[in-house]
Amino acid sequence: MTARLRSPWTAVPCAVAVVAVLDLVEPFGVRLGHLTGGLLTADLAVRAGLFTIVLVGLNLLMGYAGQASLGQAAFYGMGAFASAILTVRAHVLGIPPEVVSAWWWPWVVMAAAACAVAGFAWVVGWVILRLRGHYLAMATLGLGIMVYIVLRENLGMPHLNLTGGFDGIVGVPRLRLGSAALWPVGVYLLVVWAAALACVALGENVVHSPAGRALRAIHGSEAAAESVGVDVGALKARIFALSAGLASVAGSLYAHFQAAVVPDTFGFVPSLELVVMSAVGGMRTVWGAPLGATVVLLLEQLLRTHLLGLVPAVSGELEPVVFGVLLILLMRFRPSGLVQAAPAP
Amino acid sequence: MDALLEVREVTKAFDGLVALSGVSLRVRPGQIKALIGPNGAGKTTLFHIIAASLAPTSGDVVFAGRSLVGLPAHRVARLGIARTFQNVQVFPGMTVLEHVLVGLHQQAPASLLSAALRTPALRRAERRLREEAWALVRRLDLEAWAEVPAEVVPFGLLRRVELARALATRPRLLLLDEPGSGLNPAEKQALASELRRARDEGVTVFLVEHDMSMVMELADEVEVLDQGQLIAEGPPAEVQRDPRVVAAYLGEEDGA
Ligand SMILES: Nc1ncnc2c1ncn2[C@@H]1O[C@H](COP(=O)(O)OP(=O)(O)OP(=O)(O)O)[C@@H](O)[C@H]1O
Ligand SMILES: [Mg+2]
């Protein structure tokens, strides 16, 4: 909590959310999206909320457990495809249509997928994390690429065409709560940000729990943490599982938002984008999550809509370059990110 | 009486350099035992092996009747061996109280789910842990520093923070690697009485110490290590007169 109170930067995601809502409401018949040159849109705000959920887990993993994941988008993709497959293509798997069409079905799928993905990550982590060093970074890099290929190659079962291959799956239904649809986009925006802020609260709770204390201790001295009985490997594996589960939930929410999923959304570049967001917001804070997601998405949007227009000769390839330069400047002048970690109470 | 800790024929070689060769010793329950020896004798290496943060090349370490060799360090800690480090190991950014709370980790609820949801049971447990941590902080006279991050605490007090963290695990055996080094005489006195108190409460103490007057005053028994081998053992006054011990220390001064 202290980090939020100390950093004026955290006003950014809040302001974006407010403006996005106003944009939808159209006060005085003016769309704020137009006033901001199309920079702020409900679409951007929803995506910032979704990434916030992923980043809460990623920050716990990278900032607190000290383990980099270069494949976090894979877990996001696993959640998204689980939701898409089990709602759109459930009949292929023999799930009765009256179950699939029930309002609660997508929520059950979301929860089950999160548990399964977390369990999968726990097993991977349990094997990898007992080795010291940067093994997790390498393993997740490989995992991310593998998951991407498996999704693209139809899980190796082309006759069932579960993932839709390159083209993915279209027609993922909107979420409902009883008979109320969580749509139009303004409603969904609120749902996503409520979930995102709940995840931030969960993350804050973890940081200030005994487990969070043990995590911070590991960061300071693994030898000393072990000397009081902290099982360093097991704790890291559990944080990895938690981060994967959160990414899966965000992926499910994404699938129901976009109504379509394609493997390309969950490849290597999105994984890197997540790491950049985490670094920008400050990975040693939970509140860095909403900030990193919002600032990076805004920057990308700005580059796309404004900067590229100024340099007509170059194509879209300039975007990652400008982005890389900004990241280097950030690391040079504010290496711990925009939100500075505050000592815990 | 049966030994609480028994080191049997422990040898440790680091790429050709033999740091320990055939070391055997016993620590009886309830005693304060000192391990002395010149620089580079292998004292820290032996403590690392007992605490299982290093594996011996050969030999065995038996604690309360069970072998520790091959166990991960956190399991050895859970069996009741706590330690402090020659180069103080603190957690930067964490307060003194939090260091003690980390020491209480074994009693803390482990579930991440209850942590994330901050369940009532977790909050109750946390309150109890904090009470216990405060009691230890008071016992070691660290109240004034309790809410201060470790990096701004004076060095002499950091050794006491480490001791508090180790005591928090409620150990049966306390391994202290040069707990008095860097302390002023008053702080050493406080440390000695704290260790006696721990001993009286049933904690067995095994410490490495260079300050002979402190060893004489505190230890029931002394082991002397020189170049990886035990060369003497016995009550402090006797050991101090032992010609081999005198020679080992003189040799060190000559070499310096
Ligand atoms: N990790 C290691 N790799 C290689 N050699 C080591 C390692 N640790 C210790 N040594 C060597 O083993 C020998 C014993 O070292 P150790 O630290 O146990 O001595 P010590 O008795 O604790 O000395 P001091 O009084 O200076 O603390 C030394 O020669 C040291 O250089
Ligand atoms: Mg030493």
Side-chain angles (χ1 to χ4, degrees):
Chain A
M1 284 309 219
T2 28
R4 178 189 53 167
L5 299 179
R6 280 182 194 190
S7 175
W9 283 100
T10 32
V12 173
C14 302
V16 169
V18 169
V19 172
V21 170
L22 288 177
D23 184 49
L24 297 161
V25 177
E26 294 185 42
F28 318 111
V30 182
R31 292 202 71 150
L32 283 157
H34 294 155
L35 291 182
T36 56
L39 201 57
L40 275 177
T41 57
D43 177 76
L44 183 139
V46 168
R47 283 189 298 134
L50 294 174
F51 283 136
T52 296
I53 298 173
V54 184
L55 290 174
V56 166
L58 200 55
N59 283 2
L60 287 177
L61 182 68
M62 298 207 299
Y64 289 90
Q67 298 292 318
S69 168
L70 299 179
Q72 208 68 6
F75 301 126
Y76 186 54
M78 286 162 93
F81 267 92
S83 282
I85 291 171
L86 289 168
T87 51
V88 179
R89 307 196 51 79
H91 58 277
V92 181
L93 298 169
I95 300 166
E98 62 273 18
V99 170
V100 176
S101 58
W103 71 268
W104 44 263
W105 175 247
W107 298 98
V108 171
V109 171
M110 188 186 301
C115 293
V117 170
F120 171 70
W122 185 82
V123 172
V124 172
W126 192 76
V127 175
I128 298 295
L129 284 163
R130 286 178 312 160
L131 312 166
R132 291 196 183 183
H134 298 287
Y135 295 102
L136 189 71
M138 283 188 270
T140 49
L141 180 65
L143 186 79
I145 293 168
M146 234 166 57
V147 167
Y148 168 72
I149 292 173
V150 168
L151 290 176
R152 212 186 56 193
E153 299 302 322
N154 249 315
L155 313 177
M157 300 176 287
H159 53 289
L160 293 182
N161 194 25
L162 282 175
T163 69
F166 267 109
D167 305 329
I169 299 171
V170 291
V172 184
R174 303 293 177 204
L175 286 174
R176 281 171 296 156
L177 210 53
S179 59
L182 299 179
W183 203 258
V185 66
V187 177
Y188 203 65
L189 177 73
L190 294 179
V191 172
V192 166
W193 271 94
L197 292 178
C199 288
V200 169
L202 294 188
E204 279 285 327
N205 283 347
V206 169
V207 168
H208 293 107
S209 74
R213 248 187 335 251
L215 270 181
R216 285 187 290 142
I218 290 172
H219 212 85
S221 164
E222 268 191 31
E226 281 176 337
S227 82
V228 294
V230 176
D231 186 346
V232 173
L235 188 55
K236 285 178 179 174
R238 285 161 54 209
I239 292 293
F240 185 47
L242 179 69
S243 79
L246 285 174
S248 173
V249 168
S252 295
L253 289 171
Y254 169 82
H256 293 291
F257 166 63
Q258 204 67 30
V261 289
V262 290
D264 275 335
T265 318
F266 313 110
F268 175 59
V269 174
S271 282
L272 276 192
E273 196 180 359
L274 284 166
V275 173
V276 170
M277 286 175 174
S278 172
V280 167
M283 49 179 87
R284 296 218 68 186
T285 67
V286 174
W287 281 97
L291 184 68
T294 310
V295 167
V296 171
L297 285 177
L298 277 176
L299 270 177
E300 283 178 349
Q301 186 88 334
L302 191 70
L303 289 178
R304 218 169 290 147
T305 54
H306 290 71
L307 272 188
L308 292 180
L310 299 178
V311 199
V314 288
S315 63
E317 294 307 306
L318 190 62
E319 187 184 322
V321 177
V322 176
F323 207 68
V325 170
L326 284 176
L327 186 65
I328 291 168
L329 288 178
L330 177 83
M331 291 299 111
R332 169 67 187 76
F333 293 106
R334 216 173 154 98
S336 55
L338 296 176
V339 181
Q340 305 283 316
Chain B
M1 202 197 280
D2 261 5
L4 177 64
L5 176 78
E6 199 178 339
V7 175
R8 291 181 189 155
E9 290 293 325
V10 162
T11 294
K12 178 70 187 178
F14 293 110
D15 313 310
L17 180 127
V18 180
L20 294 172
S21 66
V23 171
S24 296
L25 60 81
R26 298 154 73 86
V27 181
R28 279 177 288 113
Q31 75 172 162
I32 296 184
K33 186 159 205 158
L35 178 65
I36 65 169
N39 291 115
K43 305 179 295 292
T44 298
T45 303
L46 181 62
F47 271 26
H48 280 322
I49 288 172
I50 295 170
S53 56
L54 271 183
T57 309
S58 66
D60 199 4
V61 177
V62 177
F63 176 70
R66 81 180 272 181
S67 171
L68 303 182
V69 174
L71 292 183
H74 73 270
R75 295 266 297 119
V76 169
R78 283 165 184 254
L79 289 175
I81 300 184
R83 65 187 301 207
T84 66
F85 298 83
Q86 182 173 352
N87 308 314
V88 174
Q89 297 268 329
V90 291
F91 311 126
M94 298 179 74
T95 66
V96 168
L97 186 74
E98 284 180 312
H99 279 69
V100 181
L101 282 164
V102 173
L104 293 166
H105 180 78
Q106 290 168 55
Q107 300 174 43
S111 152
L112 270 188
L113 195 65
S114 68
L117 300 177
R118 213 168 168 68
T119 57
L122 182 110
R123 267 179 286 180
R124 264 197 309 279
E126 179 75 3
R127 255 199 311 279
R128 194 176 49 72
L129 291 177
R130 279 185 182 269
E131 266 165 36
E132 196 162 338
W134 271 110
L136 260 167
V137 159
R138 272 192 293 272
R139 165 171 167 177
L140 288 164
D141 249 335
L142 287 166
E143 284 138 292
W145 300 91
E147 315 264 21
V148 174
E151 58 270 27
V152 288
V153 174
F155 182 79
L157 290 178
L158 286 184
R159 291 222 179 262
R160 219 184 292 167
V161 173
E162 271 201 319
L163 181 62
R165 180 179 67 198
L167 285 173
T169 66
R170 301 200 188 144
R172 292 172 71 189
L173 174 67
L174 197 50
L175 299 174
L176 308 168
D177 199 346
E178 304 196 18
S181 100
L183 300 191
N184 64 37
E187 288 171 329
K188 282 188 187 181
Q189 277 306 321
L191 171 69
S193 64
E194 206 47 62
L195 294 185
R196 269 191 226 100
R197 175 170 171 189
R199 190 258 323 266
D200 295 343
E201 289 171 3
V203 181
T204 306
V205 179
F206 191 20
L207 77 160
V208 171
E209 188 48 69
H210 277 301
D211 180 345
M212 276 314 288
S213 61
M214 183 152 160
V215 170
M216 299 295 289
E217 181 195 329
L218 198 60
D220 310 316
E221 235 181 356
V222 181
E223 300 273 354
V224 188
L225 196 60
D226 183 32
Q227 297 181 22
Q229 289 182 303
L230 284 179
I231 56 168
E233 192 227 328
E238 245 169 62
V239 162
Q240 209 182 19
R241 283 194 306 269
D242 191 309
R244 282 168 302 179
V245 176
V246 176
Y249 275 91
L250 283 179
E252 188 193 25
E253 270 159 39
D254 286 351

